Amino acid sequence: REQRQVLIMALMNVDVLIENPDDAPSSWYLTGSPLERNIVQASAEHNILLPDIKETYNIVLAHPFNSKDKFSVARVRAPEEFHFHPEGAGLKDFLSIMGAPEILLERSKISKDEFVRLSSIVQARAAEGKRLLGVAVKPTRKFAHGPGEYENIDELLFLGIIAFYDPVRVEVPRAMARDEEFGVRTVMVT
């Protein structure tokens, strides 16, 4: 259930166009950033489909991801209350936030012990070479917000982390060695 919520909230923050939405998800032709296309594809593998999410929820991408803030914010109005925890109150109007997990953790209302625990998980996964995105929500009493209201967002309910791993293809080391033989100096920038 929690995995499903994280994927649904992540989909609310993607800016991806499905050029052939009537086809099977495995045949979709997606336009958008590679990372966001991967979120759409991974969600579809769990039968969470972007067209269904867009049809069910009123979503406005209010604050696109940028390198300064390192997160995006979507304003969401749900047709019925969305429960983020079994014992928690349901929300109809909320902000869905996706971005750098360390930034979202700093802005979340969690205990110091939980912050340390989650931060160590983030560091361990990053050390394994995984790219990570955090997902959080914030209840809101109003659906409309003005410009600039998102930069200082805090008091988030941290939902989870999405990890991406792009392993080096088997043929890459041999190809790089061959390039080196021809005098090519390889520099990798991440």
Side-chain angles (χ1 to χ4, degrees):
R1 176 182 164 160
E2 290 172 1
Q3 179 184 29
R4 184 170 180 78
Q5 286 183 345
V6 168
L7 290 172
I8 289 171
M9 292 303 118
L11 283 177
M12 291 179 179
N13 281 274
V14 300
D15 186 16
V16 171
L17 172 68
I18 303 171
E19 295 191 18
N20 54 337
D22 295 331
D23 292 351
S26 59
S27 301
W28 281 348
Y29 184 78
L30 305 173
T31 304
S33 78
L35 186 65
E36 291 183 356
R37 290 192 323 251
N38 282 327
I39 292 170
V40 172
Q41 290 170 330
S43 297
E45 289 172 11
H46 293 280
N47 203 31
I48 304 168
L49 307 177
L50 181 61
D52 294 346
I53 298 300
K54 287 186 173 185
E55 185 178 310
T56 303
Y57 300 94
N58 184 352
I59 303 166
V60 176
L61 189 56
H63 183 77
F65 183 89
N66 65 68
S67 59
K68 176 182 163 245
D69 297 321
K70 297 186 180 353
F71 62 84
S72 62
V73 179
R75 289 190 320 251
V76 180
R77 173 164 285 158
E80 55 191 45
E81 289 188 346
F82 196 100
H83 293 267
F84 294 98
H85 292 296
E87 69 280 354
L91 301 173
K92 283 190 77 157
D93 292 326
F94 55 91
L95 303 177
S96 172
I97 302 98
M98 180 174 72
E102 61 277 7
I103 302 294
L104 298 188
L105 284 170
E106 289 173 3
R107 295 166 177 258
S108 295
K109 51 180 187 178
I110 55 177
S111 70
K112 182 175 178 161
D113 289 343
E114 187 70 356
F115 177 83
V116 169
R117 185 183 77 77
L118 291 171
S119 294
S120 68
I121 291 170
V122 167
Q123 291 172 0
R125 296 302 176 270
E128 294 170 355
K130 295 186 174 136
R131 177 142 185 221
L132 304 171
L133 284 175
V135 179
V137 295
K138 179 177 176 85
T140 182
R141 287 192 175 4
K142 57 184 180 177
F143 184 64
H145 289 267
E149 289 187 48
Y150 303 106
E151 289 87 359
N152 298 316
I153 197 166
D154 61 1
E155 297 287 308
L156 304 179
L157 171 60
F158 191 82
L159 296 180
I161 300 167
I162 299 173
F164 297 88
Y165 182 63
D166 188 12
V168 175
R169 294 188 315 268
V170 175
E171 67 274 10
V172 169
R174 195 176 98 236
M176 289 179 69
R178 192 174 57 237
D179 289 347
E180 254 180 38
E181 290 172 8
F182 289 108
V184 175
R185 181 174 158 247
T186 302
V187 177
M188 299 180 92
V189 179
T190 63

